[in-house]
Amino acid sequence: MKFSELNFNRMSNGGNQAIVNVGNQYGLSIIDNGYGKEHGLYEVGTLFHGQLAITLPSMTGDDTVVGYCTPDAVEMIIEALSRLVAVKG
């Protein structure tokens, strides 16, 4: 999925969020008012059953989010989760 295809919706806190579902259990929350907002960058949270979870530790470490993401980095994370889900079945 390309960054330009994301559908951002307004959140109650004033930011914008896009949710990407990957398979039945996994997903990503992409926001524009998290880590990196002061530079016009995005924060990506990994989801399991709709809740923040450590799904991609190679990218998020011991956290559930990775900040300071460019649109290209967001696409890379979407691709990484898609590949993980394809392997897990």
Side-chain angles (χ1 to χ4, degrees):
M1 172 177 274
K2 296 290 183 193
F3 185 85
S4 61
E5 298 173 314
L6 295 175
N7 182 26
F8 282 89
N9 295 299
R10 196 76 165 152
M11 299 185 305
S12 62
N13 66 7
N16 297 292
Q17 177 185 45
I19 299 287
V20 176
N21 292 309
V22 181
N24 294 326
Q25 302 176 48
Y26 298 94
L28 298 169
S29 167
I30 300 108
I31 62 171
D32 65 0
N33 66 337
Y35 297 120
K37 69 180 176 184
E38 64 278 3
H39 302 290
L41 300 174
Y42 299 85
E43 178 184 294
V44 179
T46 54
L47 306 171
F48 183 68
H49 291 290
Q51 301 295 316
L52 287 172
I54 299 173
T55 306
L56 292 170
S58 62
M59 294 185 172
T60 63
D62 292 336
D63 203 344
T64 58
V65 300
V66 58
Y68 301 92
C69 295
T70 64
D72 287 342
V74 172
E75 289 178 7
M76 183 182 71
I77 294 167
I78 293 169
E79 178 64 24
L81 184 60
S82 297
R83 288 177 188 248
L84 175 69
V85 170
V87 168
K88 286 188 171 194

